[in-house]
Amino acid sequence: MDYLERLLEGNKRFIENKPLKRDFKEERERVVNGQKPYVTILSCSDSRVVPEYIFDAGIGEIFTVINAGNICDSSVLGSIEYGVEHLKTPLLILLGHSKCGAVTATCGCGGKKSGTNIDYIIEKITPAIAKGDIEEAICENLNCIEKEILEKSQIVKEFVNKGKLKIIKMKYFLEDGEVKILKG
Ligand SMILES: [Zn+2]
């Protein structure tokens, strides 16, 4: 089974509320001397979006990069490059989700600044909200992030061109637990 299939199978178990029985002690001990995750995931900090649960994955399977709005900046790029170049994950998933608070806030603020560090996140998401529809903006945000990653990371670009890395954009639905692959 390829890794994408493995993740989608895990998501199916999650939706059906039939997760694998886990032995955390065994999983923890298996990775003490090194990790070999097969996927790097850039996800949102939203407490309702938990990659390991969503994909019914165990310890050591997912290299997670996380922030509010799953935005891309230097620290994210560095983390992704670590996952791709050093840990050699063949998959990079950009995971957005329905009802994302960061995107909703960006759509709702009308460009007004709050004077807090949240402004930075809002600014990063702003190019994605042109159409004004929140759910569309969540998907567009992923397109912008993919573009930014490919523009700013030589390593990611090289791995994609060599066929060593696949970037997949996905949206997680809080409502039913399903993860959908986004095209384009
Ligand atoms: Zn979010």
Side-chain angles (χ1 to χ4, degrees):
M1 197 193 297
D2 77 10
Y3 293 125
L4 178 59
E5 228 175 289
R6 179 167 167 174
L7 290 165
L8 295 174
E9 284 289 317
N11 180 238
K12 212 171 137 208
R13 290 193 301 275
F14 173 69
I15 294 165
E16 290 168 353
N17 203 20
K18 288 177 184 159
L20 297 178
K21 192 169 161 23
R22 299 204 170 273
D23 181 339
F24 288 138
K25 185 171 181 290
E26 187 274 322
E27 286 189 6
R28 203 174 59 234
E29 287 170 354
R30 189 154 33 87
V31 294
V32 167
N33 294 316
Q35 56 171 328
K36 213 183 171 323
Y38 54 82
V39 60
T40 299
I41 297 185
L42 171 59
S43 181
C44 181
S45 303
D46 194 305
S47 61
R48 300 166 293 181
V49 183
V50 187
E52 276 80 0
Y53 285 169
I54 291 171
F55 294 110
D56 191 25
I59 295 171
E61 290 187 49
I62 301 177
F63 186 73
T64 316
V65 187
I66 211 157
N67 62 51
N70 40 267
I71 59 165
C72 174
D73 62 12
S74 301
S75 114
V76 168
L77 285 170
S79 302
I80 288 175
E81 288 180 355
Y82 187 80
V84 169
E85 191 185 31
H86 292 272
L87 302 175
K88 307 217 176 317
T89 67
L91 284 180
L92 167 59
I93 290 179
L94 310 178
L95 184 65
H97 67 97
S98 64
K99 300 186 194 296
C100 181
V103 176
T104 305
T106 306
C107 289
C109 77
K112 243 202 228 145
K113 300 228 185 294
S114 67
T116 69
N117 289 296
I118 296 170
D119 288 341
Y120 172 73
I121 292 170
I122 304 263
E123 270 168 39
K124 295 291 293 186
I125 298 173
T126 297
I129 64 161
K131 287 177 189 157
D133 178 81
I134 291 167
E135 293 306 312
E136 249 180 78
I138 288 163
C139 300
E140 186 53 27
N141 189 36
L142 297 175
N143 291 331
C144 294
I145 290 160
E146 181 182 37
K147 212 171 137 222
E148 191 172 350
I149 292 171
L150 289 170
E151 269 169 18
K152 295 183 177 168
S153 173
Q154 272 306 112
I155 287 167
V156 170
K157 210 170 136 186
E158 193 187 308
F159 274 62
V160 168
N161 289 341
K162 283 184 179 164
K164 289 182 184 168
L165 176 71
K166 213 170 164 195
I167 302 179
I168 299 163
K169 286 166 286 181
M170 289 181 169
K171 186 172 177 185
Y172 169 68
F173 288 82
L174 300 180
E175 297 81 354
D176 58 8
E178 191 178 2
V179 161
K180 283 196 180 131
I181 296 175
L182 303 174
K183 303 268 181 283

